[in-house]
Amino acid sequence: MTGIEENNSSSSKSGAATPAEGGAEVKEEIQKMTIEERRAKLDELRKKMAASSKANRSSLVNEAAKAKVTARDAARLERQRKLAETLRLKADAEDRGEDVERQKNWEYTIEENDEWEKKLARKKRRADFEFHDDAHAARRRYKKDLDHIKPDLVAYNKQKAIAMGLNSGSLVGFNPEAGSSELAAISQEQKLAAENLYRDANTLIYGDSKPSEDAIDRVVGKINKEYKGKFSRKRLNEEEGDITYINEHNRVFNKKIARYYDKYTAEIRASFERGTAL
């Protein structure tokens, strides 16, 4: 055993160089380099350091410039970019003798085109802003409110699944072609659910609809928005008294005048109110 260990130790000493020997070899290689080679290596290291510093500086400047750009400036630059792109496409199409609008319409699908035409037709119908009668105004208001309604498809599918006798969550999405003819009521609960889902003039169920918290919050938010739009200029901290102004600017002016001259005109105004003024 001792002989094997001695052989291994001798082979390891002969095969691997010690750190001292490695350092000596590097030092010897450096000594072998000429002055020109050392100078070239130093210049190369300096160039790398300068390039790294320049890249870091450029990155820092770009980040600072991006931080200074606000959302409004970004939107303005985006509009300018789109305008420049549109003008470029128009110029290229004119050079080729093509129609710009026709080429642009090729990018839309049939469904998108139909939706756009419906939107234009709806906008044309609602372009009449004149007052005809109360029924017309109420209908316009109803149509405008109808655009902001987001149907709860999850609750609808859940109610429809119960009416069809399916498991809750089995229906996904909305199928406008599926009507009450698909419902085959079997149990009494399913029959009541079907009658509750598709109500008509002969339905005897009423007053059992309980709105959700989200629906209540939506109605309250709409009412508050309308109230704020009508009475946003009303100040609750103003003193109630005689209306001596015709607008907000005149009210502020009268308040400033009263601050300096009320003490001189109080007796005269009181006499006018009593009817004893000369």
Side-chain angles (χ1 to χ4, degrees):
M1 293 295 290
T2 56
I4 295 173
E5 292 177 355
E6 290 177 358
N7 292 333
N8 292 335
S9 61
S10 61
S11 62
S12 61
K13 289 180 180 179
S14 60
T18 60
E21 293 176 355
E25 291 178 359
V26 173
K27 188 175 182 181
E28 186 178 356
E29 290 179 359
I30 294 175
Q31 290 177 356
K32 290 180 180 179
M33 294 176 62
T34 61
I35 299 298
E36 290 76 8
E37 292 177 351
R38 292 181 183 179
R39 187 175 299 169
K41 192 172 184 62
L42 182 61
D43 293 340
E44 184 180 357
L45 293 175
R46 286 178 177 175
K47 288 180 180 180
K48 289 183 179 180
M49 185 175 65
S52 178
S53 300
K54 186 177 180 180
N56 292 337
R57 180 67 180 175
S58 177
S59 177
L60 182 62
V61 170
N62 292 335
E63 290 180 0
K66 289 180 180 179
K68 291 181 180 179
V69 176
T70 60
R72 182 176 297 179
D73 295 336
R76 179 176 56 82
L77 293 175
E78 183 66 19
R79 288 195 302 269
Q80 291 179 355
R81 186 188 65 80
K82 290 183 178 180
L83 179 60
E85 185 177 357
T86 303
L87 294 176
R88 182 181 61 81
L89 293 176
K90 185 176 180 180
D92 294 342
E94 289 178 354
D95 294 339
R96 295 191 301 267
E98 298 177 354
D99 189 1
V100 181
E101 295 296 331
R102 182 179 178 85
Q103 185 179 5
K104 187 177 181 181
N105 291 334
W106 287 346
E107 301 176 359
Y108 303 112
T109 61
I110 298 177
E111 291 78 7
E112 292 176 348
N113 184 56
D114 293 341
E115 187 67 25
W116 176 252
E117 290 181 354
K118 290 180 181 178
K119 184 177 180 180
L120 291 180
R122 184 168 60 251
K123 186 177 181 180
K124 186 177 180 180
R125 289 196 305 268
R126 298 183 182 181
D128 185 13
F129 295 101
E130 296 181 0
F131 179 80
H132 298 281
D133 51 12
D134 294 335
H136 183 264
R139 184 178 180 277
R140 284 180 55 85
R141 184 66 180 179
Y142 170 74
K143 290 291 185 180
K144 187 175 181 181
D145 293 341
L146 200 63
D147 292 339
H148 300 285
I149 292 179
K150 296 181 180 179
D152 190 0
L153 296 180
V154 177
Y156 169 76
N157 290 329
K158 183 178 179 181
Q159 188 178 7
K160 186 176 180 180
I162 296 174
M164 297 178 65
L166 302 176
N167 295 328
S168 179
S170 59
L171 295 178
V172 180
F174 174 70
N175 184 12
E177 298 179 357
S180 59
S181 59
E182 297 183 1
L183 303 179
I186 299 176
S187 62
Q188 185 68 18
E189 181 182 0
Q190 185 177 348
K191 185 177 181 180
L192 291 176
E195 186 178 359
N196 188 22
L197 179 62
Y198 296 100
R199 299 187 182 186
D200 53 11
N202 299 322
T203 303
L204 300 178
I205 302 176
Y206 66 94
D208 60 338
S209 178
K210 184 178 180 181
S212 61
E213 295 294 334
D214 295 336
I216 295 175
D217 294 340
R218 185 168 61 250
V219 173
V220 172
K222 180 178 179 298
I223 294 175
N224 291 337
K225 185 177 180 181
E226 293 179 355
Y227 182 84
K228 184 178 180 180
K230 292 181 180 178
F231 305 100
S232 61
R233 297 185 62 84
K234 187 175 181 180
R235 306 294 187 267
L236 299 178
N237 57 351
E238 293 179 1
E239 297 180 359
E240 296 293 338
D242 297 334
I243 304 300
T244 60
Y245 52 88
I246 58 176
N247 51 32
E248 184 68 15
H249 182 73
N250 184 241
R251 185 188 69 82
V252 175
F253 178 77
N254 291 346
K255 192 174 181 180
K256 291 181 180 179
I257 293 296
R259 189 182 305 157
Y260 296 100
Y261 295 101
D262 265 4
K263 57 184 178 180
Y264 303 111
T265 60
E267 185 177 354
I268 299 175
R269 285 187 287 106
S271 299
F272 272 114
E273 291 177 0
R274 292 194 304 267
T276 59
L278 298 177

